[in-house]
Amino acid sequence: METVVVIVGAGPAGLSTSVCLNQQSIPNVILEKEDIYASLWKKRAYDRLKLHLAKEFCELPFMPHDRDVPTFMPKDLFVNYLDTYVARFNINPRYNRTVKFSTFDESNNKWRVEAENTVTGETEVYWSEFLVVATGENGEGNIPLVEGIDTFPGEIVHSSVYKSGRDFKGKNVLVVGGGNSGMEISFDLCNFGANSAVLSRTPRHVLTKELVRFGMSLLKYVSVTMVDTMVMTISRLVYGDLSKYGLFRPKQGPFATKLYTGKAPVIDVGTVQKIRDGEIQVINCGIGSIKGKTLTFENGLKQDFDAIVFATGYKSSVCNWLENYEFVMKKDGFPKNPMPKHWKGENNLYCTGFSRKGIAGAAEDAMSVADDIKSILATIK
Ligand SMILES: Cc1cc2nc3c(=O)[nH]c(=O)nc-3n(C[C@H](O)[C@H](O)[C@H](O)COP(=O)(O)OP(=O)(O)OC[C@H]3O[C@@H](n4cnc5c(N)ncnc54)[C@H](O)[C@@H]3O)c2cc1C
Ligand SMILES: *[C@@H]1O[C@H](CO)[C@@H](O)[C@H](O)[C@H]1NC(C)=O
């Protein structure tokens, strides 16, 4: 099959790219490996998830959120919003198509995209002038190699498949990773009556969601240093010194950290209070080894667990299927070019949704990419 633009991935980034292209009447096809759009939100997110960012920072192009939806939308409301988006703009991804291989064919200057139709098992070949990578920053769950992990008799899950603490009542559960997912999952486990411990090795900022919203809104008017100073002062007033509980603050401010490294602050959903109350234990060092139920930590501490949840983040999976990824990406599957033109690669290769700016970032990328493709097509015609 031949088209002008092939988009790989029907998450918020791929969907908005398609909508922006449609607005310019540029033919495009979305290939999606799952049987549904926005699979991260529909299939891979835990039950109690709410958007971490205020709704005004989570909009797709051409469709603002309704006034009456809550500022911090629960997952279901955001999924409704996506459903409306897909219906309103009549987006029709080709589902059950896993892109396995893709390459730039120099003989005709076109992209060749091979997708496995997971229903029929056949390989389909798509040709296009432009290729947009929209497979997401969270392409696959990252589980670190730990010595002896294969001897662990209990359940081991990645945060992307964790749904709720319901099944862990009364169990000793270790959550590895003190980022947003890890902190929220340990809270959820605790609420369902599990004994949870969270392993958090690196210093992190912990903020309330209101404080993050305040900071994000302020960033439009004052410097990041000033925002950080204000936000950190308020955060100290709210939380006090948490180091005695094992939570340490980094020196660099939360918004500067986000800006320069992409690493987000932890948005507290109630975990901090449980840590103070001694209901959630914080472990500050890595796992040295595992032998059966017993984990030995790098500081010599030994403790038994019934289950482990790895909230150790994700990796981009682009380099697994895109032969010429170096036209737009580095080896780690993130853009090689600096912002704000990180989305543009060579030979009509683009990426959307890799700016570490969440949904708002994906939406911006989509608009930029569609405009760029439009201008290239205009010069050809
Ligand atoms: C737990 C969690 C909470 C988050 N909360 C927020 C928040 O509050 N606000 C915010 O702005 N952001 C949040 N994010 C970030 C969020 O991931 C993005 O904002 C958004 O989902 C990114 O959209 P995307 O389209 O780039 O990627 P994704 O949503 O990951 O979509 C990528 C799509 O590509 C498909 N795909 C992958 N590989 C292939 C292949 N080889 N062939 C075909 N299809 C493929 C996938 O199945 C998927 O449907 C959160 C992320 C997580 C994990
Ligand atoms: C995708 O595959 C699932 C089964 O895995 C099937 O139920 C669904 O109908 C398929 N969708 C399409 C559009 O082919």
Side-chain angles (χ1 to χ4, degrees):
M1 181 191 170
E2 201 161 339
T3 183
V4 180
V5 187
V6 165
I7 301 166
V8 186
L15 296 173
S16 359
T17 306
S18 179
V19 168
C20 293
L21 290 168
N22 290 344
Q23 299 278 323
Q24 321 263 19
S25 307
I26 300 169
N28 62 88
V29 168
I30 310 183
L31 302 174
E32 167 58 54
K33 72 176 156 78
E34 302 291 333
D35 57 358
I36 190 81
Y37 51 86
S39 64
L40 177 98
W41 293 95
K42 293 199 172 227
K43 287 187 166 180
R44 288 186 283 150
Y46 43 92
D47 295 349
R48 56 158 286 121
L49 182 70
K50 274 197 174 130
L51 289 195
H52 294 149
L53 304 179
K55 64 178 183 183
E56 65 267 31
F57 301 109
C58 298
E59 286 176 353
L60 298 183
F62 313 112
M63 201 175 111
H65 290 294
D66 287 340
R67 273 164 147 233
D68 53 351
V69 301
T71 305
F72 295 97
M73 297 169 77
K75 187 177 80 172
D76 291 350
L77 280 184
F78 185 65
V79 166
N80 286 350
Y81 169 80
L82 293 170
D83 291 342
T84 312
Y85 195 74
V86 166
R88 181 176 299 175
F89 294 103
N90 190 23
I91 320 168
N92 293 298
R94 294 181 158 233
Y95 298 111
N96 299 325
R97 273 25 179 234
T98 306
V99 174
K100 289 272 171 84
F101 183 75
S102 186
T103 186
F104 183 66
D105 190 334
E106 284 180 2
S107 67
N108 60 3
N109 279 343
K110 285 198 168 150
W111 286 92
R112 179 188 161 93
V113 181
E114 290 177 20
E116 186 195 34
N117 181 327
T118 52
V119 175
T120 64
E122 280 164 30
T123 297
E124 300 171 347
V125 178
Y126 295 81
W127 289 96
S128 64
E129 284 163 61
F130 300 86
L131 178 62
V132 181
V133 176
T135 47
E137 296 164 350
N138 309 308
E140 55 187 80
N142 181 33
I143 294 192
L145 285 169
V146 181
E147 189 196 320
I149 198 165
D150 47 324
T151 67
F152 188 74
E155 196 176 344
I156 296 178
V157 293
H158 186 263
S159 57
S160 56
V161 291
Y162 175 91
K163 288 288 170 202
S164 106
R166 204 166 291 125
D167 306 331
F168 296 95
K169 193 169 186 244
K171 292 192 172 164
N172 298 318
V173 187
L174 176 67
V175 180
V176 183
N180 271 307
S181 298
M183 291 294 256
E184 183 154 14
I185 287 172
S186 58
F187 176 79
D188 190 54
L189 285 164
C190 189
N191 281 345
F192 279 101
N195 303 311
S196 58
V198 60
L199 190 162
S200 174
R201 268 196 309 195
T202 48
R204 284 175 200 272
H205 287 286
V206 178
L207 305 173
T208 63
K209 59 186 190 310
E210 290 80 13
L211 207 44
V212 170
R213 184 190 191 199
F214 168 73
M216 286 176 81
S217 317
L218 218 57
L219 271 180
K220 291 180 200 141
Y221 312 104
V222 299
S223 73
V224 64
T225 318
M226 225 143 92
V227 174
D228 274 340
T229 308
M230 277 190 266
V231 165
M232 281 163 82
T233 308
I234 304 172
S235 165
R236 272 195 206 96
L237 286 172
V238 175
Y239 291 111
D241 178 15
L242 295 172
S243 61
K244 58 175 175 278
Y245 304 105
L247 295 177
F248 301 93
R249 285 201 179 86
K251 288 212 174 63
Q252 191 180 45
F255 286 93
T257 306
K258 177 73 198 159
L259 190 64
Y260 300 124
T261 71
K263 200 168 164 184
V266 172
I267 299 172
D268 179 35
V269 293
T271 317
V272 173
Q273 191 55 47
K274 294 216 184 276
I275 290 174
R276 278 177 201 278
D277 295 345
E279 289 184 55
I280 297 175
Q281 176 194 359
V282 179
I283 297 171
N284 280 130
C285 66
I287 308 172
S289 62
I290 300 179
K291 198 170 176 203
K293 281 183 112 174
T294 311
L295 275 64
T296 306
F297 294 89
E298 281 162 351
N299 62 359
L301 171 79
K302 279 185 199 293
Q303 205 166 316
D304 287 0
F305 287 97
D306 303 310
I308 307 175
V309 180
F310 280 98
T312 33
Y314 297 83
K315 334 185 242 221
S316 160
S317 55
V318 180
C319 303
N320 302 346
W321 57 268
L322 182 56
E323 187 176 51
N324 310 101
Y325 68 84
E326 75 282 357
F327 292 160
V328 73
M329 300 279 192
K330 295 175 294 189
K331 266 209 179 84
D332 63 358
F334 278 86
K336 65 172 188 179
N337 295 316
M339 303 233 210
K341 275 202 139 187
H342 54 280
W343 40 266
K344 187 171 167 75
E346 291 133 52
N347 296 312
N348 293 345
L349 179 63
Y350 295 86
C351 64
T352 56
F354 291 89
S355 64
R356 300 194 196 263
K357 285 191 192 164
I359 289 153
E364 273 175 36
D365 291 352
M367 292 190 276
S368 309
V369 167
D371 284 346
D372 199 71
I373 292 178
K374 187 188 171 204
S375 66
I376 292 177
L377 288 172
T379 58
I380 301 172
K381 276 174 194 152

